Amino acid sequence: GHAGSVSGDLEDAGYRTLEPGNADLLPVTRVVHQPGYCAEAVQVVAALALPGAEVAAVEPGSELATETPPTDITVILGRDSL
């Protein structure tokens, strides 16, 4: 599907990816990062060629904050990626 295609694009750009999953489609792609990974998250946005994507830190207590093992950066695709 679409997430798998985008994951492949990120791999081609040199990023290590995990198995893509499903999430509700957002209006705009959101790139969420752990503390210390903001600059890398901005680079992921550039690699995806989605300049309108939102970059945000992981919210404490959220599912992404408690994930084991944690991911440094998570991309949640939006309609802008279609």
Side-chain angles (χ1 to χ4, degrees), residues 19-82:
E19 186 70 27
N22 293 322
D24 291 335
L25 187 63
L26 301 173
V28 176
T29 297
R30 187 174 172 119
V31 180
V32 183
H33 62 85
Q34 295 289 343
Y37 287 91
C38 184
E40 290 85 349
V42 171
Q43 291 173 346
V44 167
V45 169
L48 292 173
L50 294 172
E54 298 175 357
V55 176
V58 169
E59 296 177 22
S62 70
E63 183 179 340
L64 292 176
T66 58
E67 200 171 46
T68 304
T71 56
D72 299 334
I73 297 170
T74 301
V75 177
I76 305 166
L77 295 172
R79 287 185 183 87
D80 60 332
S81 70
L82 299 176

